[in-house]
Amino acid sequence: MTNTAPILQHKQALLRRALILVLTGLSALAGEGSAQAADPHRTRREEMVTTQLIDRGITHQPTLEAFSRVPRHRFVRQEHLQRAYDDRPLPIGHGQTISQPYIVALMTELIEPEPGHRILEIGTGSGYQAAILAEITDHVYTIEIVEALAEWGAGNLRNAGYHQVKTARGDGYYGWDEAAPFDSIVVTAAAASIPPPLLSQLAPGGTMIIPVGSPFRTQVLTLVHREGEAFRTEQILPVRFVPFVRPE
Ligand code: SAH
């Protein structure tokens, strides 16, 4: 009788080793895959922060950190998913747009948000600007006039985990009196003039950023500082925003 045991043992050892190799390979792949599955857009987001924000002079650290964290691709329409991190605004339906990343960053940097600040946004749209602010402070309020967008934006915020943001549907002209005063107000639609209720809901020392000018033309991004009872305005740069609308 020939002794086959050593050969068998050898074969089994080879099989075991092959199995271990396959399993290690699989788990390495799975590891890589799960990190990517968690956030396949991370590389594009990092590129956006470097080339669109830092290279153009955005320096406010909390703003830059917020941009590296907020998944912008979760705030665009499905058909624009591949363009989520492009250097441009994108249509979000109902004739509205999610602003270009640089403009959102500039508006955020100019109001110098800090943890603990109370911030009101007019024009929720996709919810992206509110999410950026919510990375910096837990007290973000946002109002949207178009019902379908109010629902979609609030849904985007919830789905991305920004449960602390307070959302409302209504005419932002009147601000959010019960939650005032605000350290900052961010208006993301262009108004012909600054709505007086918004000025009065600004805390002393507070700031407002608002595109001022006629709809469908170039407007001026304006930074308002409340100094006691007085207001000082600073013109920042020409911009193009969708119009601030009023109910008929
Ligand atoms: N901040 C948004 C940008 C949306 S565009 C984002 O990050 O995606 C501006 C939004 O302002 C539009 O959704 C528009 O419907 C809304 N809007 C216009 N007039 C308004 C008003 N009077 N009150 C509240 N929202 C208004």
Side-chain angles (χ1 to χ4, degrees), residues 214-235:
S214 36
F216 307 113
R217 294 241 195 108
T218 299
Q219 306 111 18
V220 179
L221 191 60
T222 306
L223 182 63
V224 182
H225 302 264
R226 178 166 191 168
E227 292 163 352
E229 288 306 305
F231 296 93
R232 180 167 59 86
T233 61
E234 231 182 293
Q235 302 202 324

Side-chain angles (χ1 to χ4, degrees), residues 1-12:
M1 218 176 114
T2 48
N3 188 356
T4 52
I7 299 170
L8 255 179
Q9 272 170 12
H10 182 63
K11 272 193 179 163
Q12 278 169 352

Side-chain angles (χ1 to χ4, degrees), residues 96-97 121 123-126 129 144-146 149 171-172 188 244-245:
Q96 309 302 325
T97 55
E121 181 200 22
T124 313
S126 67
Q129 169 79 75
E144 170 58 54
I145 199 164
V146 177
L149 285 176
D171 181 5
T188 66
F244 192 100
V245 296

Side-chain angles (χ1 to χ4, degrees), residues 16-75:
R16 254 202 316 275
R17 211 185 300 164
L19 193 66
I20 289 168
L21 280 176
V22 168
L23 284 178
T24 333
L26 277 180
S27 64
L29 274 178
E32 219 175 84
S34 64
Q36 280 181 2
D39 195 349
H41 300 267
R42 206 182 60 205
T43 313
R44 267 181 283 177
R45 190 157 60 244
E46 281 164 7
E47 262 173 38
M48 168 190 77
V49 170
T50 311
T51 61
Q52 300 178 39
L53 312 187
I54 298 174
D55 289 357
R56 290 186 189 147
I58 302 290
T59 56
H60 188 246
Q61 210 50 41
T63 300
L64 292 171
E65 280 165 24
F67 271 80
S68 332
R69 284 197 293 265
V70 178
R72 183 168 160 99
H73 59 278
R74 299 183 75 158
F75 293 87

